[in-house]
Amino acid sequence: MQQSNTSPEQVKQWAEEMDKKFLVLKNDDIDQFIHPMRMGEFNRLLSGIDMNRRALGKAGQNDYLVINLDEPYASEVIEIMKRHGHWGKQE
C-alpha cells in the first residue's frame, strides 16, 4: 500500500474541520482513572443513555471504527470519509 504524503499539519487542519459528534474513551483510561467505587455510577450513566436511545427507537449502543489522527494512515481514512460525505461540519 502506498504511504500518504500528507503532512501532520494538514491532518491537524482537517481535524479542525471535523464535526466532533462522538466522545471516545479508552477502556484502559476508564479502568485507570475512574475509582472502582465510582464505576457503578459511571455504568448507570451509560445504561441511562442506552435506555433512552432505545426508547427513541435507536440502537442502544453502536460500534465504531476509531482512528487516531497521529497514525500514518489517518489522511487516507479522512480522504475516504470525504468521498463518502462523512467529513466536515454537518449543517
Side-chain angles (χ1 to χ4, degrees):
M1 176 179 259
Q2 178 181 351
Q3 281 289 335
S4 172
N5 292 328
T6 306
S7 70
E9 292 77 23
Q10 179 65 54
V11 172
K12 287 180 184 178
Q13 179 183 345
W14 284 337
E16 291 172 6
E17 299 168 2
M18 178 174 53
D19 188 10
K20 295 182 181 177
K21 60 188 227 180
F22 300 99
L23 169 67
V24 177
L25 299 173
K26 188 174 178 182
N27 288 326
D28 288 344
D29 288 344
I30 292 169
D31 293 339
Q32 182 177 0
F33 299 119
I34 295 181
H35 191 278
M37 293 188 71
R38 306 284 315 257
M39 284 303 290
E41 180 182 357
F42 180 73
N43 287 323
R44 281 189 295 281
L45 290 169
L46 295 178
S47 293
I49 292 170
D50 181 84
M51 182 177 59
N52 284 292
R53 285 183 54 83
R54 290 177 190 276
L56 294 174
K58 298 180 179 182
Q61 179 177 330
N62 292 321
D63 293 318
Y64 296 96
L65 177 65
V66 177
I67 306 296
N68 285 330
L69 289 174
D70 61 355
E71 295 292 347
Y73 51 81
S75 61
E76 295 173 62
V77 174
I78 292 168
E79 288 298 332
I80 292 168
M81 292 177 74
K82 284 182 174 186
R83 282 197 306 270
H84 292 274
H86 293 284
W87 193 263
K89 304 279 186 214
Q90 303 296 315
E91 300 296 322

